[in-house]
Amino acid sequence: MQITEIIRKKRDGESLSEAELNFFVDGFTGGKIPDYQASALLMAIFINRLSVDETFWLLQAMLNSGEVVDLSMIPGIKVDKHSTGGVGDKTSLILAPVCAAAGVPVPMISGRGLGHSGGTLDKLESIPGFRVDLDLDHYKRLVGESGLCLIGQTKEIAPADKKIYALRDVTHTVENKSLISASIMSKKLAEGIDALVLDVKTGQGAFMKTQDDAKELAEMMISIGTKMGKQVRALITDMNQPLGSHVGNALEVVEVVELLQGNCTPEQQDCLELSLLLAAHMIVLGGKADDLDQAREIAESTIRDLSAFAKFKEIVAKQFGDPSALEDLNKLPTADHVETLTAETDGYLGMLDALAIGKGCVLLGAGRKTLEDVIDPAVGVIVRKKLGNPVTTGDPLLEIHYNDANKLKEALPLFQSAIKIDPDPVEPPSLIKK
Ligand code: URA
């Protein structure tokens, strides 16, 4: 087989065989196919696309490039959730302990922030001492003992994805639904799951801007996951405004603790609602409820009786974090300064641009501009009004938590451009699109 012929076929819009996709993935991961040929093939795939079958074969090849964790010795149906990325999306930190407290084991291998969107690992690392770099034996032990474990991708998990993703990142070949699907599903299936709930975001702050694109991506991931023998469900949800009230790593942990303690402000209602809905789907897939209503009641009960909060503290302690920081939130990193943007007129909040807020938070230091950047866990924003809320002149809209005045200066125009007040009532976007 020749890589040049495989590139030519895809360039000319022909289909690739399972053997050809295997040849590419094995050859590139093993260093036999150079970056320039892999880049050419990725661009040809980007332009001429892959069918569901080709995407499935690519997924299989990427999955088999590394270890597929065997969790069959742990009783129960193992279920995880994956989100395609958003701003203020801390649902993983809520639903993982909720499901574990409900008896559904959650093996969760997560990512770091990507562009303007936050990452579960960065949020967890804002808890003093918390370690996400545990090895797979440790991971298996904690899923067995505590019913959950939250770690980062190890070198054994889908190494082909790591290499291919790095090349896609610098060749502008990320936003292709087949490449995204194979990338996400190869990592998720390697975790040892039986079932998966996908949260595909759509809107200004999402990678999929339109609902049609989000639906196509969801359908592709469901198709290839089902072909792998897994139960897969997807929700398409809104990412026009940040989810909940807090954006930024330690700030998001604060919101998680508030919600797990049963305290929810009106601005946090969407985050709680989505967390409970995703958890309910996971509880049904995990075989602990017959339908969504029953599962929702179980999820809510783990918050009411604080068993989900207890589970979160348990896993924080087991992953070397300080659980007392979840009781005394002053022990989490806090920023030195707060600048508040207030309403300059009366009306209704008509824009709270998640993309601009996410980018502003990256400039404050909450995310990375280059791989080497070090995250400032304390910085971010607290949203005091959500889309459609009535506002009066002088009302606080955005609280900006910052440590470096120069970074604030850079980020401020983005935050200012994120907000618009309309004179007439504004219909808030629906949270669950499909
Ligand atoms: N997240 C991933 O893990 N892979 C992609 O290709 C895009 C987002």
Side-chain angles (χ1 to χ4, degrees):
M1 224 172 264
Q2 293 209 352
I3 184 67
T4 45
E5 177 56 12
I6 296 174
I7 296 169
R8 188 216 45 85
K9 277 178 85 174
K10 200 31 93 181
R11 184 202 65 186
D12 293 347
E14 293 173 29
S15 296
L16 301 180
S17 67
E18 181 173 6
E20 285 166 332
L21 284 157
N22 267 324
F23 179 81
F24 161 60
V25 171
D26 287 353
F28 181 53
T29 313
K32 289 193 214 97
I33 294 174
D35 283 5
Y36 53 84
Q37 287 177 320
S39 305
L41 181 58
L42 287 170
M43 188 55 84
I45 289 174
F46 188 93
I47 292 167
N48 286 328
R49 301 175 181 210
L50 296 179
S51 66
V52 174
D53 280 342
E54 290 173 292
T55 309
F56 174 67
W57 294 325
L58 179 66
L59 156 69
Q60 273 190 319
M62 286 166 64
L63 178 64
N64 294 330
S65 70
E67 187 175 337
V68 180
V69 180
D70 179 7
L71 296 179
S72 58
M73 77 302 261
I74 298 169
I77 301 170
K78 273 71 69 182
V79 191
D80 190 11
K81 186 259 344 180
H82 180 82
S83 149
T84 55
V87 178
D89 182 359
K90 68 282 289 171
T91 55
S92 289
L93 301 193
I94 299 165
L95 59 82
V98 163
C99 290
V104 177
V106 183
M108 195 176 261
I109 299 185
S110 302
R112 297 199 175 274
L114 190 65
H116 67 280
S117 72
T120 299
L121 300 180
D122 299 325
K123 294 170 203 188
L124 287 166
E125 280 182 343
S126 72
I127 301 168
F130 195 99
R131 280 187 49 198
V132 298
D133 61 344
L134 309 181
D135 65 28
L136 289 178
D137 285 335
H138 207 139
Y139 160 81
K140 284 187 221 175
R141 184 161 61 73
L142 291 190
V143 176
E145 277 174 20
S146 293
L148 80 163
C149 185
L150 307 151
I151 61 166
Q153 193 177 354
T154 69
K155 61 181 186 324
E156 297 92 350
I157 296 286
D161 173 63
K162 205 167 185 174
K163 244 188 126 180
I164 294 173
Y165 192 89
L167 200 55
R168 286 168 60 210
D169 204 17
V170 291
T171 55
H172 233 298
T173 49
V174 170
E175 304 95 330
N176 170 278
K177 294 181 192 91
S178 289
L179 295 176
I180 294 176
S181 299
S183 164
I184 289 175
M185 296 301 280
S186 66
K187 284 174 289 207
K188 289 284 122 181
L189 298 187
E191 291 174 342
I193 50 167
D194 302 303
L196 179 66
V197 178
L198 295 162
D199 179 10
V200 181
K201 305 283 190 193
T202 179
Q204 266 166 343
F207 291 110
M208 295 291 123
K209 303 288 178 214
T210 70
Q211 217 167 300
D212 283 348
D213 280 339
K215 183 165 166 280
E216 258 186 57
L217 178 63
E219 283 170 353
M220 181 63 90
M221 289 195 281
I222 290 173
S223 298
I224 62 175
T226 309
K227 262 169 156 313
M228 289 297 297
K230 308 294 171 186
Q231 296 191 74
V232 187
R233 293 182 177 196
L235 300 181
I236 295 173
T237 72
D238 183 66
M239 187 35 71
N240 282 299
Q241 61 180 337
L243 192 65
S245 57
H246 291 43
V247 184
N249 298 294
L251 288 170
E252 292 191 40
V253 172
V254 169
E255 184 174 353
V256 167
V257 170
E258 287 170 354
L259 295 182
L260 287 176
Q261 288 180 328
N263 303 315
C264 177
T265 66
E267 297 79 52
Q268 295 169 342
Q269 196 59 47
D270 57 351
C271 184
L272 179 63
E273 176 57 32
L274 183 56
S275 304
L276 287 171
L277 182 60
L278 291 165
H281 279 284
M282 293 170 73
I283 290 169
V284 171
L285 288 175
K288 297 289 175 191
D290 294 331
D291 58 37
L292 271 185
D293 288 341
Q294 193 191 359
R296 166 86 185 217
E297 174 47 35
I298 294 172
E300 282 179 13
S301 74
T302 69
I303 293 187
R304 258 197 319 273
D305 66 14
L306 293 177
S307 56
F309 185 47
K311 193 48 96 177
F312 191 42
K313 284 187 289 183
E314 176 187 329
I315 199 62
V316 165
K318 288 205 171 162
Q319 293 194 222
F320 308 101
D322 177 3
S324 75
L326 304 180
E327 298 284 0
D328 176 2
L329 295 171
N330 293 319
K331 291 189 180 174
L332 292 173
T334 45
D336 292 337
H337 312 284
V338 178
E339 167 91 10
T340 304
L341 299 188
T342 56
E344 290 175 357
T345 170
D346 294 356
Y348 299 84
L349 197 62
M351 188 171 80
L352 186 62
D353 182 349
L355 180 61
I357 291 175
K359 285 181 172 173
C361 287
V362 172
L363 292 180
L364 292 180
R368 295 176 191 81
K369 281 172 277 167
T370 69
L371 271 182
E372 294 76 33
D373 278 355
V374 177
I375 294 250
D376 181 343
V379 299
V381 301
I382 300 180
V383 168
R384 293 296 178 198
K385 296 279 179 198
K386 302 275 292 201
L387 284 176
N389 285 174
V391 297
T392 306
T393 308
D395 277 353
L397 299 179
L398 266 193
E399 251 178 41
I400 307 167
H401 293 236
Y402 69 100
N403 279 325
D404 180 331
N406 287 326
K407 290 184 178 167
L408 174 70
K409 213 167 139 194
E410 242 188 297
L412 206 48
L414 271 169
F415 292 130
Q416 284 159 337
S417 74
I419 298 168
K420 192 160 79 62
I421 296 173
D422 286 352
D424 301 317
V426 173
E427 189 65 36
S430 60
L431 176 62
I432 312 299
K433 307 289 186 198
K434 206 173 168 57

